[in-house]
Amino acid sequence: MLLNEGKDSFLEEEVSFDNSKYVILPIPLDITTSYLKGTKFGPRSIIEASRSLENYDSELDYEVKDKIFTLNELNLSGDIREAMEVINLSVSDILSSGKIPIIIGGEHTATYGASLSFDDSVEFIIFDAHADFKKDYLGLVINHASNSRLVNARHNISLIGVRSLNLEEKEEIGKRGIDIIYRNDISDVSSVDKLLKKLSGKNVYISVDMDVFDPAIAPGVGTPQPDGIQYRDFLDYIKKIINVSNLVGLDIMEVRPLGADNITEVLAAKLIIDMVSLKESKVNSNRS
Ligand SMILES: [Mn+2]
């Protein structure tokens, strides 16, 4: 088993691995990053930022406690293919222990590695400014700009918040009939309804590239894009998605710490608390 027990935990949770329901897997992947390097420091910074946040959600009246175990960072010393294999093995270990993986990164390519661990019936919902549907990029087939396309080799995907792609990517996405909600249509009711209908009752994995958000609220990313979505836009989506489906895994990727300005990693940590709270308060209300 490649898993190590972690000392520095998310939200300062003290729960043991066996008693936890969610397992944070920090993946400091920074191999194919093309524009701004530094995503390898993302996982550590998200865990540090979580310690500045409260674990109680007043909107849901739910407290995250004794739920989340934090693993040590994965050691990724090989090339990108080896990294995918290590990630796949680690996520598979978490799943076979009956836990829900929460992956924090690190470049977005880690989502592809994680996707290999899931049954191909799992739907992947990818929030990203970029379509990431390139056939290859800078000579590499496995790279961050091809992540969505790679995941789509095994899984149905839906792309949300996209505002950066080329014509070839757009045509390939159209050819494959992939559901894509562009940033301009983020509030379009019929698009959202269609998505929810598709996800109803399904096992769902949510992947968040932090560059889907506006750079004003998430400046610390590898490839920033102007005119991103707001935190409330995201909350509206995940409330609806988690409500109709069964969340089996999630990731928060592409955090690139800026040093003194830590608002990106605080937002990243908050998203994890939000998604766990939404899933758990749903479980609780189903029981009562
Ligand atoms: Mn992106």
Side-chain angles (χ1 to χ4, degrees):
M1 183 131 160
L2 281 163
L3 304 177
N4 301 304
E5 302 246 329
K7 302 182 285 290
D8 302 315
S9 63
F10 187 83
L11 270 181
E12 299 179 324
E13 286 260 86
E14 288 179 353
V15 66
S16 67
F17 180 82
D18 285 346
N19 290 330
S20 68
K21 179 164 174 186
Y22 300 84
V23 173
I24 293 206
L25 176 63
I27 302 184
L29 190 65
D30 203 1
I31 297 177
T32 77
T33 325
S34 51
Y35 182 41
L36 301 167
K37 287 275 176 191
T39 55
K40 69 174 162 204
F41 303 112
R44 172 64 31 210
S45 72
I46 294 170
I47 292 169
E48 273 167 23
S50 75
R51 304 207 185 101
S52 71
L53 295 171
E54 309 264 18
N55 62 351
Y56 174 69
D57 188 312
S58 57
E59 225 171 298
L60 297 168
D61 188 25
Y62 181 80
E63 183 188 44
V64 177
K65 199 169 188 300
D66 299 336
K67 286 276 185 293
I68 306 173
F69 182 84
T70 308
L71 292 162
N72 283 333
E73 281 193 347
L74 276 190
N75 183 1
L76 301 167
S77 48
D79 65 11
I80 191 73
R81 276 184 190 279
E82 287 169 56
M84 293 305 107
E85 203 38 49
V86 172
I87 293 166
N88 179 10
L89 286 171
S90 305
V91 175
S92 297
D93 276 346
I94 295 170
L95 292 172
S96 61
S97 307
K99 318 286 184 195
I100 296 172
I102 300 176
I103 295 155
I104 53 176
E107 63 167 275
H108 208 169
T109 326
T111 303
Y112 167 58
S115 73
L116 300 170
S117 312
F118 287 89
D119 188 88
D120 58 14
S121 66
V122 174
E123 296 269 344
F124 273 63
I125 315 300
I126 302 172
F127 290 85
D128 199 328
H130 310 89
D132 283 353
F133 226 81
K134 296 190 170 49
K135 209 170 183 174
D136 51 59
Y137 192 60
L138 303 175
L140 289 171
V141 173
I142 299 176
N143 74 87
H144 69 100
S146 305
N147 177 61
S148 298
R149 188 176 182 131
L150 291 165
V151 173
N152 185 232
R154 262 173 67 92
H155 296 273
N156 277 337
I157 64 169
S158 308
L159 300 170
I160 303 174
V162 174
R163 57 195 187 275
S164 174
L165 76 172
N166 65 32
L167 191 56
E168 200 185 328
E169 289 176 285
K170 188 185 181 229
E171 285 169 357
E172 186 63 30
I173 287 166
K175 225 192 278 170
R176 296 189 189 197
I178 288 166
D179 285 313
I180 178 165
I181 301 178
Y182 288 98
R183 191 266 169 270
N184 284 348
D185 302 321
I186 202 76
S187 306
D188 179 62
V189 178
S190 65
S191 304
V192 179
D193 283 351
K194 188 177 163 219
L195 175 74
L196 294 174
K197 214 176 219 176
K198 182 178 85 168
L199 301 179
S200 179
K202 296 265 178 68
N203 287 334
V204 159
Y205 181 105
I206 296 177
S207 173
V208 184
D209 182 327
M210 287 301 288
D211 66 31
V212 76
F213 293 102
D214 194 84
I217 60 167
V221 294
T223 324
Q225 274 294 322
D227 191 28
I229 69 170
Q230 294 300 314
Y231 173 54
R232 272 289 146 185
D233 296 323
F234 180 79
L235 269 190
D236 286 346
Y237 267 85
I238 56 165
K239 272 181 191 168
K240 289 171 183 156
I241 292 170
I242 293 175
N243 206 30
V244 300
S245 67
N246 178 37
L247 185 67
V248 295
L250 62 105
D251 68 47
I252 309 286
M253 310 306 285
E254 294 280 338
V255 171
R256 185 182 64 90
L258 298 177
D261 177 351
N262 70 345
I263 62 170
T264 312
E265 40 268 48
V266 167
L267 177 59
K270 184 77 174 98
L271 302 180
I272 295 170
I273 299 169
D274 289 338
M275 286 197 262
V276 169
S277 299
L278 281 165
K279 179 165 169 79
E280 288 303 310
S281 50
K282 177 189 166 191
V283 172
N284 288 343
S285 66
N286 284 350
R287 274 187 196 142
S288 60

